[in-house]
Amino acid sequence: MNLVLFSLCALHFLLNLISVSCERQDINALLYEKFDKAASCFRLLNGTHQFGCSSSVSGSLGVIHFIQNEHDIDWLINNAKAGPYMAVVPPKIFNQRNLMLELQSSKDISGILLAINGSSDRPEYFSPDDTCPNRYSGEGTCSEAWNPEGTSLLLVDWGKPMFVVKDPVVISKMHECFLKFNQPFDDSQIHKSLCSLQMKSHMHAAVDTPTCIRRSNSITFVFNPLSYCDGMGDKNIISTLEPIKKPDNRSILLFSTRLDTASMFDGVMLGAMSTMTGLVTFLATAKLLSSMLPANSSYERNVMFAMFNGEMYDYIGSGRTVYDITQNTFPKTSNPIGFEHIGLMVDVSQLSKSTQLYCHTKKMNNDVDLLTKDFCRSLETNAVKPVTVSTEVDEELPPSSVHPFLKKDKNIPAVVLANHAKQFINRYYNGLMDNASNIEYRYYNSSDIPEGSVQDALAKISTSLARSLYEWVTKKRYSGSEVVKPDIIDELLHCYLESRNCKIFKDANAPEEKLTADLTPLYVGVYKSVNPITKLTALTHVYFTGRDVNISESNCKSSVDDYSYYWISGQSGKGECKQTTVQLLKALSPAFEIDGYDWTSREYSTWSESVWQEMSLRMFLKPSGQQEMVTLIIGLVTLVLSFVTVYWLKSQAHLLFQIEVGVAC
Amino acid sequence: MTISEFVGCACIAYGPLLAMFVFTIMQDPIRIIILIAAAFFWLVSLLLSSVFWFILPLKNTLIFGVVMSVLFQEFFRYLIYRLLRKAEAGLKKVSVPDTNIEITNNKHVLAYVAGLGFGTMSGAFALVNVLADISGPATMGLKGSSSLFTIISAVLTSCFVLLHTFWGVIFFNAIDTHNHMQLAWVVGSHLLVSSVTLFNSRMLYFSSVIPAITVLVCSAYMAFMICGGSCRKCKVVCGRGGGGAQGDVTPSPSNSAT
């Protein structure tokens, strides 16, 4: 009986061992939980200050603490003992500037994690930008609070790292760990192992742009070829309806919009209402206008299409254009234009599904007033129902690309089109939640688009706008029936907000080009690298406004005289050659090129972005001091004991191991 | 931050090894050479067993790899035994004054040094990975793993270092005296201790540590007896020394020439 029992036990034991399968259990993976989808805040510099976040060189460490309300912050800053802490804040706390600044100034807080728990976790407003965006680079004093809910957190030097997590799975993992190890929240925390975070996002640059450039230039050794910061910027996309040749005064309409959004965190900005609605309307208007006006029509007046980049950072793109105009190199050194040639500047700013369009003009009390009011009136008469246009006369125009132009020559007639009057209706201006749901967009994928949707509204606004531009160029009303179809808007918004691997981008690229489905953020980045979205937008613009020419693929590449040629897939997918005036022009602030530029002058943008090497966020268990001490003491005792024992054995060996002579051993 | 945990674990795992090296190996160049040679043999056995693991099926059944690895180690222990016995004559000729007399006079010294060499290398492989990772800010226990993990790993490593030393002494003696029981003990207990460490993956730490320590004590006693020790001598020595000594019995056969 015993034998049976024993063999059963042995069998069980063996089975147990055999069933241990070989799976790689990395110690590192057991110690750390790494979160790849976390986006980090980074450091930006301007001519006088530094903004944003940076961790310490080896990464900042802190005990996780989830914050729900002010009391938690209070406890964390004044009573908590097991610090430093990582404060995990929901968007509603992040929205309260005073609370965030309290966290920022506390030495017990080593970092901040913004936890957005899925798409439903939306506060009523969320805008980290200034109440008057681009406050110091506009042409006026910025007396209007355009963005009343703006917290200006973009313009804070945090001095600690900050990450954002949007994945509910990641947040629940952290929360579980926090509840399991860190409770109860009192002094007993000191004696326990605590769930902690490590944030690594060390920034190389510091102080301000001129300091950083000076330091970068002083790196002379080859073995340290790293720069500390790079000037921000990208490319402007510029084209004209007809090539410019000896223009008359006030004969060019500069039709503009912006291409970028501001961003606090790396790689997560969509800017649906802040930027996308305007850009999409702009592209659709340009497309319609090009097809309304027959090729090579010799009107006196011309339209220049300009998509400016880096506008959220003190008008990098439009500031550069103004500088190029003063240098007589815009848009081409062979045929430059001057400020006097600009007859009207129309900027498309934020739009939405609201069909109430505001035509912002500036109060001038001179002839300029007439020109701008004329355009607004023309827009009113050309408005396609249900679009209604009201003229809004401002002391200062809303933040838009017209500012650098007006700063240089305040007599340029300028109009800004937007969905708002004195205050943005966008409550997520340059915020993380400014996504498809902010403009109530959903992709219809060529099924019927109902009236009242954002696609429908933007299509009608584009049509109205194209008609009034037509009227401005030809000086007569449009009698045709061409309109912008909501499908185009639907497809474009899908491309920009949901997937780059979309119909229009495919048609606009070369046939062999492969697109990935991910989204590219619209943050302008550094001048050194061209943002992929700029290239895609330029190609879309070529596809929409370029003229078909019968040229084979091999000859369709160079630029000749006034035109450049692009080989794109086209609707057929087989490839076609487009003749276009589209140019990609430098959008880098002249401040980085002018020798001895006064960085405090506020004339041009001075933003630069710090270089960083690694951004990572991981969770781990910080051992309690007690556990550390116990391990250390056991180790030291073992060491000492071994030495004593071995020494004793060796000294007594002649007695212990005494072997009688003759015994083989 | 847990540099203290790192130091603690390193001391537990390598403390006895370091002590033995300092007091019994360091003074004699020949011993160091033999130690390194033995360590190299262990390394080759690991290489071969991993090659076999890679070629043969059953990759995912860990016990298979363990058994094979143990058999390879014992085979290489036999090889180094053959090598050292062959080298003995040569060693006698290389006489550095006052140093390697014991090696030639006491066979157990060779066995002890070879065993320690095996232990050194296996100890290094067992824990260095873990040590490298725990020098960071984190400790074990985040994903349901036990906070005892590191300390248990260190204790087991220490056990294996000592076990290899004792096994070396027993094994060499077993072959010299054709004692099959001792040979079976070495191979059997090696298989047993290696197999029970598989329980660690289920966090049944004590079911691996307790057998390991039991086998360690038995092997230590056997090695002690083989080298000519006995309880009687022990009592005599303790009585003489005032009964101050305790702890694990480490055979350091030396100076037994009479």
Side-chain angles (χ1 to χ4, degrees), chain A residues 131-136 138-147 394-397 399 403 422-423:
Chain A
T131 48
C132 179
N134 282 345
R135 181 180 294 274
Y136 302 108
E139 51 121 15
T141 52
C142 233
S143 46
E144 305 264 4
W146 295 104
N147 184 24
D394 305 314
E395 292 296 322
E396 273 168 39
L397 287 169
H403 279 268
K422 296 287 183 218
Q423 285 182 349

Side-chain angles (χ1 to χ4, degrees), chain A residues 364-429:
Chain A
M364 295 290 290
N365 300 324
N366 59 16
D367 299 350
V368 176
D369 270 348
L370 295 176
L371 294 169
T372 52
K373 283 208 179 96
D374 259 1
F375 182 79
C376 289
R377 210 170 300 124
S378 140
L379 194 57
E380 236 175 290
T381 50
N382 281 309
V384 184
K385 271 184 186 150
V387 175
T388 50
V389 180
S390 33
T391 307
E392 186 77 23
V393 183
D394 305 314
E395 292 296 322
E396 273 168 39
L397 287 169
S400 62
S401 309
V402 302
H403 279 268
F405 287 87
L406 294 181
K407 219 158 89 177
K408 206 75 185 177
D409 178 358
K410 65 177 189 304
N411 282 324
I412 294 174
V415 171
V416 177
L417 303 174
N419 61 356
H420 61 83
K422 296 287 183 218
Q423 285 182 349
F424 292 169
I425 61 170
N426 183 5
R427 313 195 76 185
Y428 302 92
Y429 186 76

Side-chain angles (χ1 to χ4, degrees), chain A residues 114-385:
Chain A
L114 170 58
I116 304 174
N117 203 353
S119 50
S120 58
D121 191 9
R122 281 171 86 90
E124 292 209 339
Y125 56 89
F126 191 88
S127 171
D129 212 327
D130 201 349
T131 48
C132 179
N134 282 345
R135 181 180 294 274
Y136 302 108
S137 52
E139 51 121 15
T141 52
C142 233
S143 46
E144 305 264 4
W146 295 104
N147 184 24
E149 271 119 13
T151 50
S152 294
L153 292 182
L154 263 177
L155 305 176
V156 171
D157 178 24
W158 294 90
K160 44 190 65 152
M162 189 150 44
F163 276 71
V164 62
V165 182
K166 292 207 255 183
D167 188 351
V169 179
V170 171
I171 296 170
S172 71
K173 263 186 194 166
M174 284 186 195
H175 197 244
E176 248 168 53
C177 179
F178 163 68
L179 292 181
K180 186 173 165 197
F181 294 102
N182 297 9
Q183 282 193 65
F185 309 121
D186 52 34
D187 290 355
S188 68
Q189 277 196 335
I190 309 170
H191 309 295
K192 289 189 302 185
S193 293
L194 297 170
C195 192
S196 307
L197 281 181
Q198 182 183 41
M199 291 183 176
K200 220 179 217 180
S201 63
H202 179 66
M203 298 291 150
H204 292 260
V207 188
D208 53 27
T209 302
T211 309
C212 162
I213 287 180
R214 194 177 62 235
R215 287 174 65 209
S216 297
N217 290 342
S218 67
I219 299 174
T220 46
F221 296 106
V222 191
F223 53 81
N224 191 11
L226 187 140
S227 78
Y228 294 100
C229 68
D230 297 298
M232 284 168 67
D234 202 351
K235 297 279 183 184
N236 291 329
I237 305 170
I238 309 287
S239 74
T240 49
L241 212 50
E242 293 294 329
I244 294 171
K245 277 172 190 151
K246 301 214 167 52
D248 295 336
N249 277 0
R250 301 245 178 266
S251 69
I252 294 172
L253 185 146
L254 183 57
F255 185 47
S256 67
T257 191
R258 59 175 168 245
L259 254 176
D260 72 311
T261 60
S263 181
M264 203 162 168
F265 300 96
D266 185 41
V268 286
M269 280 301 293
L270 289 175
M273 201 191 288
S274 312
T275 302
M276 252 28 301
T277 47
L279 180 62
V280 165
T281 309
F282 178 92
L283 287 170
T285 309
K287 176 177 161 60
L288 180 60
L289 189 65
S290 314
S291 63
M292 278 171 166
L293 289 161
N296 301 321
S297 48
S298 49
Y299 294 106
E300 283 166 26
R301 289 177 159 182
N302 201 348
V303 176
M304 175 178 274
F305 301 103
M307 285 174 261
F308 294 121
N309 222 328
E311 294 298 279
M312 294 300 186
Y313 291 94
D314 289 335
Y315 309 117
I316 297 173
S318 49
R320 175 67 193 212
T321 303
V322 167
Y323 174 75
D324 284 344
I325 292 176
T326 58
Q327 302 292 309
N328 287 325
T329 56
F330 183 82
K332 279 194 166 129
T333 333
S334 51
N335 278 316
I337 65 165
F339 292 107
E340 69 280 4
H341 299 132
I342 302 173
L344 184 66
M345 183 166 176
V346 179
D347 189 82
V348 187
S349 185
Q350 304 177 73
L351 297 171
S352 57
K353 66 183 265 183
S354 151
T355 49
Q356 171 66 49
L357 191 62
Y358 290 91
C359 189
H360 289 266
T361 63
K362 199 183 166 197
K363 202 182 199 166
M364 295 290 290
N365 300 324
N366 59 16
D367 299 350
V368 176
D369 270 348
L370 295 176
L371 294 169
T372 52
K373 283 208 179 96
D374 259 1
F375 182 79
C376 289
R377 210 170 300 124
S378 140
L379 194 57
E380 236 175 290
T381 50
N382 281 309
V384 184
K385 271 184 186 150

Side-chain angles (χ1 to χ4, degrees), chain A residues 16 22 29 649 652 658 665, chain B residues 60 108 143 202 233 240 250:
Chain A
N16 233 335
C22 170
L649 279 172
Q652 306 294 334
Q658 211 167 37
C665 192
Chain B
N60 288 329
H108 295 312
K143 295 174 189 169
R202 306 211 170 153
K233 280 182 195 163
R240 216 178 50 107
T250 312

Side-chain angles (χ1 to χ4, degrees), chain A residues 380-571:
Chain A
E380 236 175 290
T381 50
N382 281 309
V384 184
K385 271 184 186 150
V387 175
T388 50
V389 180
S390 33
T391 307
E392 186 77 23
V393 183
D394 305 314
E395 292 296 322
E396 273 168 39
L397 287 169
S400 62
S401 309
V402 302
H403 279 268
F405 287 87
L406 294 181
K407 219 158 89 177
K408 206 75 185 177
D409 178 358
K410 65 177 189 304
N411 282 324
I412 294 174
V415 171
V416 177
L417 303 174
N419 61 356
H420 61 83
K422 296 287 183 218
Q423 285 182 349
F424 292 169
I425 61 170
N426 183 5
R427 313 195 76 185
Y428 302 92
Y429 186 76
N430 280 339
L432 286 165
M433 290 93 170
D434 189 6
N435 49 20
S437 60
N438 188 28
I439 56 171
E440 294 171 50
Y441 166 76
R442 99 179 169 80
Y443 183 43
Y444 284 95
N445 196 6
S446 51
S447 58
D448 278 344
I449 296 165
E451 281 190 23
S453 62
V454 63
Q455 290 94 323
D456 186 54
L458 294 185
K460 284 177 173 147
I461 290 170
S462 303
T463 310
S464 323
L465 197 50
R467 287 183 180 176
S468 45
L469 292 180
Y470 178 92
E471 190 180 333
W472 192 88
V473 174
T474 61
K475 297 181 186 161
K476 58 180 189 251
R477 287 199 64 174
Y478 180 65
S479 52
S481 60
E482 279 194 73
V483 291
V484 173
K485 296 201 182 80
D487 301 50
I488 300 244
I489 307 281
D490 192 41
E491 290 293 340
L492 276 173
L493 285 175
H494 177 60
C495 288
Y496 282 110
L497 297 177
E498 287 172 351
S499 167
R500 261 163 66 194
N501 189 10
C502 61
K503 196 170 155 294
I504 288 186
F505 282 174
K506 265 188 224 155
D507 291 352
N509 266 285
E512 66 276 5
E513 197 81 23
K514 290 274 172 293
L515 294 165
T516 48
D518 58 338
L519 287 167
T520 0
L522 287 174
Y523 165 70
V524 61
V526 297
Y527 176 70
K528 274 185 188 170
S529 60
V530 175
N531 203 336
I533 207 75
T534 306
K535 198 185 142 218
L536 287 172
T537 308
L539 287 171
T540 307
H541 191 49
V542 169
Y543 173 50
F544 280 176
T545 61
R547 295 202 176 104
D548 291 321
V549 280
N550 196 7
I551 297 177
S552 68
E553 185 182 358
S554 50
N555 297 327
C556 180
K557 49 180 87 151
S558 55
S559 47
V560 185
D561 302 333
D562 305 318
Y563 292 107
S564 30
Y565 297 87
Y566 287 86
W567 183 259
I568 64 168
S569 299
Q571 251 171 340

